[in-house]
Amino acid sequence: QLQLVETGGGLVQAGGSLLLNCTASGAPLDYYAIGWFRQAPGKEREGVSCISGADDFEGRTYYVDSVKGRFTISRDKAKSTAYLRMDSLKPEDTGVYYCAALLAYCTPRNLRNLRYDYWGQGTQVFVSS
């Protein structure tokens, strides 16, 4: 059973940066797409970014418009870890951030529909103005 644990959240001022980590255990992460999601207080969970697994030779990634140019998703096969580098943070980026895994490619549709099979418990990000 694949298990995911997010770390790296915290309190940061607007304009600052954070690096979120998503570490897997229990099964190889290689062929899973990894998605990052967030849920702001009082709002629904939304997809932020995803990255395909090793079976996608294009190595595709996807970002929602609100984070393009500010967030960068990546993964390290040897460490079974995925990352979300968040720069130029804004107060509206505040929320609980989750990583999730899906045995398929990274696609906008899967991200938008939250169609991921394995989820972490989340890590809190708070951006002060």
Side-chain angles (χ1 to χ4, degrees):
Q1 180 82 4
L2 182 64
Q3 294 181 321
L4 304 173
V5 176
E6 304 94 336
T7 57
L11 171 63
V12 63
Q13 288 188 330
S17 299
L18 284 173
L19 177 66
L20 303 184
N21 307 283
C22 173
T23 302
S25 62
L29 195 60
D30 301 8
Y31 296 99
Y32 286 87
I34 298 297
W36 283 97
F37 302 80
R38 67 186 179 189
Q39 187 164 17
K43 294 188 177 181
E44 294 185 349
R45 191 173 300 187
E46 64 170 347
V48 173
S49 179
C50 62
I51 184 169
S52 281
D55 55 335
D56 181 0
F57 295 111
E58 296 183 12
R60 70 195 75 189
T61 59
Y62 174 78
Y63 301 90
V64 295
D65 288 345
S66 60
V67 306
K68 278 181 182 177
R70 300 190 298 121
F71 290 11
T72 304
I73 192 170
S74 61
R75 63 192 299 163
D76 185 326
K77 176 182 176 180
K79 296 182 178 179
S80 291
T81 299
Y83 306 94
L84 186 68
R85 171 74 181 190
M86 305 188 296
D87 297 314
S88 302
L89 282 162
K90 305 175 181 180
E92 51 263 44
D93 294 317
T94 292
V96 179
Y97 282 69
Y98 301 88
C99 68
L102 174 67
L103 201 58
Y105 287 1
C106 157
T107 68
R109 176 177 291 185
N110 285 339
L111 191 71
R112 184 170 56 246
N113 294 337
L114 310 184
R115 283 189 56 200
Y116 278 65
D117 296 323
Y118 301 94
W119 292 80
Q121 294 300 307
T123 185
Q124 177 72 53
V125 171
F126 185 83
V127 184
S128 63
S129 57

